[in-house]
Amino acid sequence: MSGTSGRVTAVSSNGEYTFTKPNRDSITLLPGLGVEGDVHAGVTVKHRSRVAQDPTQPNLRQVHLIHEELFGEVAEKGFAVTAGQLGENVTTAGIDLLGLPTGALLRIGAEAVVEVTGLRNPCLQIDAFQGGLLKEVVGRDEDGAIVRKAGVMSVVRSGGEIRPGDTITVELPEGPHRPLEKV
């Protein structure tokens, strides 16, 4: 999977706590912080549920990426979802985000690099957005294990501006790969 490439189809950010994020012409990633001007940017956790647990935890959810292919999948079940509506910062196409191992690097555009930290743990806000959508983005496989499909979370290793159309190249970590877990 190293060397696999895809592309950015949309970028989104919001300086306020809302579920959806408006699309932008570009966003700037800041090393160790996240998306410039986004409410979830910071060294320590910013998601309200995480802050309530322990506000000193490191922010492993600086940049949220979702694969555009998910929108087609949920459309088959009658849901209309577009880029930014599930709160992601970067919408991708052509990369199996959910199949990446922990620690995979995504080189986005000319300079930006994010390190994948884990799976987004979908919350009830998804059902508040569109009733019944939560069960489409989190379910169980044939063995009964929970399957989370609402994208991956990452931290910014190298900053830079990213825009729709930018190339994303995957670089896998060395050694045995650890599957993604919720973060």
Side-chain angles (χ1 to χ4, degrees):
M1 194 182 286
S2 260
T4 299
S5 67
R7 64 186 168 80
V8 175
T9 61
V11 293
S12 311
S13 67
N14 200 339
E16 300 175 15
Y17 280 107
T18 60
F19 182 67
T20 62
K21 294 187 180 201
N23 296 151
R24 308 288 182 194
D25 292 334
S26 68
I27 58 174
T28 300
L29 302 186
L30 303 173
L33 295 174
V35 178
E36 182 176 44
D38 192 81
V39 71
H40 294 113
V43 174
T44 57
V45 292
K46 299 302 176 199
H47 287 77
R48 289 177 175 167
S49 62
R50 305 267 191 289
V51 169
Q53 291 172 357
D54 177 2
T56 66
Q57 294 176 76
N59 187 2
L60 301 179
R61 300 165 57 104
Q62 294 174 359
V63 181
H64 176 197
L65 300 94
I66 282 186
H67 50 297
E68 183 178 76
E69 294 83 357
L70 177 65
F71 305 153
E73 186 180 316
V74 299
E76 291 176 11
K77 305 284 181 144
F79 297 95
V81 179
T82 59
Q85 288 187 319
L86 294 180
E88 76 275 12
N89 301 111
V90 180
T91 310
T92 69
I95 294 178
D96 178 12
L97 293 176
L98 305 179
L100 294 172
T102 302
L105 298 178
L106 302 177
R107 298 187 178 281
I108 308 172
E111 302 173 308
V113 179
V114 298
E115 179 180 337
V116 178
T117 56
L119 295 167
R120 175 188 184 186
N121 191 26
C123 65
L124 289 175
Q125 287 183 324
I126 292 176
D127 267 350
F129 170 65
Q130 285 186 40
L133 183 57
L134 181 61
K135 73 177 182 176
E136 300 304 325
V137 298
V138 63
R140 296 198 178 269
D141 65 15
E142 56 279 350
D143 298 326
I146 294 176
V147 176
R148 293 172 178 84
K149 299 188 234 178
V152 299
M153 306 307 278
S154 65
V155 295
V156 181
R157 293 296 178 218
S158 296
E161 185 176 50
I162 61 174
R163 313 175 166 278
D166 280 351
T167 299
I168 304 169
T169 304
V170 175
E171 187 177 307
L172 297 178
E174 294 196 21
H177 293 166
R178 290 181 304 134
L180 297 176
E181 296 179 9
K182 71 176 182 173
V183 293

